[in-house]
Amino acid sequence: MPVCLDPCYPGRMKTITPQKPAFRSSRCVLLVCALLLTTSCIKQSSSPQQSSPSSAKEPSPAGPATEVAKSTVSVPDFLDAALNGRTESIWQAVEAGVDVNATDDEQRTALLLASFNGHTAIVKHLLEHGALVSQRDSAGRTALMFAATGDNPEVVTALLEAGADINAVDSGEGFSALMFAAAEGQTTVVSLLRQHNADPSLRDVDGDTALDFAKQNGHLEVVTLLSN
């Protein structure tokens, strides 16, 4: 599976595009690389990152404390916190009035990014404070699709309970959440999606189904699940 290493996000990151053998590799999109210009590589010393709990409670000549805090909330920092699971930063940003549906250059919201890395508490908090479960990124992908790429059954459940369209497909390839899960070999997520009536007969632009993805990538448990 392709990986990406960069100064901002060291370590291994999974792709968010189902991979077919050989001929689909040119379409590989790495979430971490696309975030390079919009998140934590921004110079941290240029401004405060967020207000402290004590300062958020004290009035200032500039106006109510929440207004002061709001001016210090950077959307890139908010999105970075969602991606990396920094719950305290998310809590403070939401309390300060950050737009929970703010997006990066690829139209990804905090909900999409938190879903991608399986940060259940953040996902639930964002949903409770107005995050749109139906929001799509520039490729037409939803938070449910992002969550389905990993071992994130709790996030998948939270999104479904919030009304996520289980059979939505992206705008480029026609991939569904079930296809993403099958392509990545996420057996638990595939089983969960099937229990909630995810349609295994959906086909992408090449005519392939979730079962085809599982077969091509050698995920035998998923193949068994989808063959029954």
Side-chain angles (χ1 to χ4, degrees), residues 66-181:
T66 53
E67 291 182 10
V68 175
K70 186 181 295 186
S71 68
T72 68
V73 174
S74 160
V75 169
D77 290 337
F78 175 59
L79 298 178
D80 182 70
L83 178 69
N84 289 294
R86 295 199 298 275
T87 56
E88 184 177 351
S89 296
I90 294 296
W91 270 228
Q92 291 176 349
V94 170
E95 183 178 357
V98 71
D99 178 3
V100 295
N101 292 304
T103 64
D104 64 11
D105 290 343
E106 299 298 323
Q107 299 302 305
R108 289 175 293 228
T109 64
L111 182 64
L112 271 71
L113 299 177
S115 297
F116 179 72
N117 275 338
H119 301 309
T120 307
I122 290 177
V123 166
K124 290 182 176 180
H125 193 71
L126 292 171
L127 289 169
E128 289 169 359
H129 288 82
L132 299 175
V133 74
S134 60
Q135 180 72 35
R136 293 174 179 259
D137 72 359
S138 59
R141 294 169 186 165
T142 65
L144 183 61
M145 295 176 197
F146 273 52
T149 65
D151 184 20
N152 306 316
E154 292 183 355
V155 171
V156 168
T157 297
L159 294 170
L160 291 173
E161 289 177 349
D165 183 352
I166 198 168
N167 290 316
V169 298
D170 71 27
S171 57
E173 299 284 355
F175 296 144
S176 68
L178 186 62
M179 291 178 192
F180 279 101

